[in-house]
Amino acid sequence: MGFFGGQIARRLGAPPLIGMILVGIVLGPQVGNVISSDVLEAADSLRTVAVMVILMKAGLGLDREKLLSQGSVALRLGFLPAGFEAIAIALAAIWIFHFDVPTGLLLGCIIGAESPAVIVPGMLRLKRLGWGVTKGIPDAILTGSALSDVLLLLLFSLLLSFLGQGGIETITLPGGFTLSALQLLPLQVFIEIGLGILIGYAAARLIVSLLTEQNWTQNTVQDVLIAAGIALLLVIVDKVLPYSGYLAAMAMGFFLIELDAPLARRLRGGFDSLWVVAEIVLFVLLGASVQLQVLGDTILPGLLVLAIGLFVGRPVGWYLSTVGSNWTGRELLFLLPGNMAKATVQAAIGAIPLARGIEGGEIILAIAALSILTTAPIGAWAIPTFAPKLLERGEVDPTKVTVVTHTVLLAAVDTSPLATEVLRKVATIARRTDGEVIVLHVINSDEIEEVEKLRDRTQRLLSDIRYKFITIKGSIPEEILRVAQEYQVADIVMGKRGHQRWQQVRVGSVSQAVLEVSSIPVILVEDPQNELAIKSRRV
């Protein structure tokens, strides 16, 4: 249901996650109540797996050179926008809901956190298409998003402890110095980030040793399973050790690119496949966790609180984060759609204050649900919509992202026996690339019967491949080039008739004409009647 809901949303021009969230709401306990209670009880664990997948995708897509070129921008994006938004939301909640300062800050930490489930796929899509890659804008947003979640989750835990115990716990250091947990927060942030990066590096070294140097696995599926298991372990163990598991998983993917680029490329494709399933689980369960009944009277004041945080607090942080950078005003404006989405963190911790019996917990839960329903769909739609309008398009680095291409091949054939060899060659390439084939024959008026035989031969040789059989009249070289351009093919496969003479092979007139003009690679298949073995040549 989540898959089909997502596809319906996509066909209507909306992000698939909107359909998945709506399906979760309909199937969840608030409406249909048809999802097993065992699944709902395991929702937190399932969300953890899904977040691990998206963080590994983010790490495997980061570009070290682009991050270094941005200087401190990524670091500032990790602290200032989320911090200023949390403060603005806290002040708004104190004014509107009459919260005390700690409760207002608790709400600010929940709402200020950014959603990797929305931001990471969006930024990786921009990297695949080249939007903003010259200045490393997607990389800076990805890194800043991960760092901001570390900061706010730490502050959330501190405030939760304070509100539950009635005061901030003090810690006595060697030498008799006494510090409160709030005073130790900067040091704790530094330790969690530093240890997260170090542990991520160690895990990346371990994976390279196991999978490349010691060859513990036999195929890519096993590579992905081992990497995913280690990444999930990093995310889970942070509950008992003082480091950021989210950051460690992301750092592991990043260091894998530096340590073993071919392995990182294989893993990138595997985690792309895992995300197809994890995305559905994450957003359907997210929709099922939304408490519709608690929205009630808090919709309008809740939207006001969200707007103050998003349009007052965050812009201050965005401006301060990019001061001194080479970002233009339009690129700075892109941070509004690119860095606003809330979903994963809010679904994970939004209900905790209510469960702990904190006063105002039901309002906090309602605003958390409201932030998911408003910013996640808008953010997922706005990132691809506004990127072409606000960002410059640069050259895509295929070593950092999975470049998804739809391979189309053109097989130019006549009615001679050489057509069989051309069709066999194009079939082999199409099977390797999961490609589609355009079979083109430029006809003469007196070869109708031969064309039908050619059509039958094509059906037999390409029976397991998507193909289109086209017949057309005209100049053979010109029609081949025109159809190749029309269908935007990756390669032209055609026959070559030549004669062996003084160890040289002359190219036939048609293939020679195509070779001289075509900007598309041409693969020539030699006539089997020649004494030379059948071979292909890419020009």
Side-chain angles (χ1 to χ4, degrees), residues 21-22 24-25 28-31 40 47 283-295 343 347 365-366 368-373:
I21 291 175
L22 291 176
I25 292 174
Q30 304 299 306
V31 181
L40 295 175
R47 271 196 291 264
F283 288 113
V284 171
L285 290 179
L286 193 150
S289 68
V290 172
Q291 302 289 322
L292 296 179
Q293 73 271 18
V294 300
L295 291 177
L365 176 59
L370 195 61
S371 71
I372 294 170
L373 294 175

Side-chain angles (χ1 to χ4, degrees), residues 52-79:
M52 174 275 297
V53 173
I54 198 61
L55 290 171
M56 275 297 294
K57 276 173 58 68
L60 289 166
L62 286 177
D63 189 330
R64 177 174 57 86
E65 294 179 358
K66 295 295 190 300
L67 285 175
L68 291 176
S69 69
Q70 287 301 313
S72 64
V73 172
L75 187 63
R76 283 181 281 167
L77 280 174
F79 298 104

